Amino acid sequence: MGVKDTLEIRWNSARIQDTFGNEQSAPAFGAFDNEDFCMASYHGPKARVQRRFGEVLIPRTKYQQILEKRPYPPGDHGKEKQYRSGRRSDYGLQLTEKQKLSFIFNIRETQMRRYFQKARRLSGNTGVNLLVLLERRLDNLVYRAGFAPTIWAARQFVKHGHILVDGKRVDLPSYLVLPGQAISVKESMRKNVHLLDAMEGVAYNLAYLPVDKNSFTATFSNIPERNEIPVPIDEQLIVEFYTRLT
């Protein structure tokens, strides 16, 4: 059986709250890299979430246009909130940054906590370790390579078995890709209209993820540095958020 998550987003002037119900116990920490279960993916309005944060987190033209047209939080009193003054608490800033990161990588709180636990156990900067772990997720690299238009579409591609790692089918979005491994699209999917449209779109062109469009293959060449990861996040605030909970 999988994990059944119910996401309730409560819009208020302070923050977005994620409430999970009917959740089974998380697997042992050692099973992290090869999870045999799949957390629920967010299917709500993406533009609404980005309007709440006040910035475009998913670089697509339609989201940019929506935020330019309505540069204020969603809801009946969104315009009023835009002009409210006042300093947010440290907790509020930390929570917002954590929620932004969860949204960008399409993961839930249970997963995020385990990623943080692992990042803290690794040597080096915990915040950078956290971003590197998330960047190595298979669904994320499929998206970064341009094989899918969004992280949500990339997750679906992986779950449906359309993605190969070193020639072998991997259907776990959370699979952590190792340096040197090649990510490719299954032969039967290479004429898919959505895939071809995505590959014609704006590419990230990342140094650590060279893409060969002719062979529909991307190679995760090395662990990226922090300044190479295209995530507009202050990871130190996230470290502070989880540190205060321990």
Side-chain angles (χ1 to χ4, degrees):
M1 295 182 65
V3 178
K4 182 179 179 182
D5 289 347
T6 302
L7 173 63
E8 178 186 351
I9 300 181
R10 299 175 179 173
W11 301 102
N12 55 46
S13 59
R15 58 182 182 268
I16 304 173
Q17 297 178 340
D18 295 352
T19 304
F20 296 83
N22 295 326
E23 188 172 297
Q24 294 180 354
S25 299
F29 187 80
F32 178 85
D33 283 354
N34 297 300
E35 297 170 352
D36 58 0
F37 73 102
C38 186
M39 299 292 289
S41 177
Y42 175 65
H43 297 291
K46 281 75 175 181
R48 185 180 178 92
V49 174
Q50 293 175 85
R51 285 178 59 203
R52 179 66 185 84
F53 292 132
E55 60 184 296
V56 177
L57 300 175
I58 306 299
R60 297 191 72 188
T61 302
K62 72 173 187 177
Y63 296 138
Q64 183 67 48
Q65 292 174 342
I66 290 174
L67 264 73
E68 289 176 355
K69 183 178 179 181
R70 289 177 285 180
Y72 48 83
D76 294 338
H77 302 287
K79 291 184 178 181
E80 297 176 14
K81 294 177 185 178
Q82 181 185 17
Y83 302 108
R84 289 179 183 172
S85 61
R87 180 183 179 277
R88 296 192 61 185
S89 66
D90 290 342
Y91 175 79
L93 294 173
Q94 295 163 4
L95 177 63
T96 296
E97 212 67 7
K98 187 267 295 184
Q99 291 171 335
K100 285 163 58 177
L101 188 64
S102 297
F103 177 74
I104 290 172
F105 285 98
N106 189 34
I107 61 174
R108 293 289 168 259
E109 178 61 19
T110 302
Q111 286 177 301
M112 182 67 83
R113 284 174 182 265
R114 288 188 290 109
Y115 277 112
F116 178 77
Q117 290 171 359
K118 181 164 187 175
R120 190 166 55 178
R121 295 181 184 183
L122 297 174
S123 61
N125 184 285
T126 299
V128 175
N129 290 341
L130 175 62
L131 293 183
V132 169
L133 286 171
L134 295 173
E135 190 69 14
R136 288 174 54 198
R137 283 176 56 97
L138 179 58
D139 58 351
N140 176 69
L141 292 178
V142 168
Y143 166 55
R144 299 279 196 226
F147 297 150
T150 65
I151 187 68
W152 299 278
R155 177 190 176 88
Q156 190 175 44
F157 266 49
V158 175
K159 285 293 294 177
H160 290 180
H162 301 317
I163 300 300
L164 309 177
V165 177
D166 286 344
K168 298 181 180 179
R169 184 171 68 89
V170 178
D171 59 5
L172 294 176
S174 61
Y175 176 84
L176 294 183
V177 180
L178 298 173
Q181 289 190 313
I183 303 167
S184 58
V185 179
K186 194 175 179 181
E187 186 72 34
S188 60
M189 278 295 293
R190 296 184 180 182
K191 294 183 179 180
N192 181 274
V193 175
H194 301 293
L195 170 66
L196 297 177
D197 286 346
M199 295 185 69
E200 291 178 359
V202 179
Y204 277 95
N205 294 321
L206 300 171
Y208 56 89
L209 191 67
V211 180
D212 183 348
K213 292 187 176 182
N214 293 324
S215 63
F216 293 84
T217 301
T219 303
F220 184 56
S221 60
N222 59 276
I223 298 296
E225 299 292 335
R226 172 62 184 98
N227 59 6
E228 295 180 297
I229 301 176
V231 177
I233 290 293
D234 184 349
E235 61 274 12
Q236 184 56 36
L237 290 177
I238 301 172
V239 173
E240 293 171 2
F241 175 84
Y242 283 113
T243 300
R244 69 188 298 166
L245 298 180
T246 58

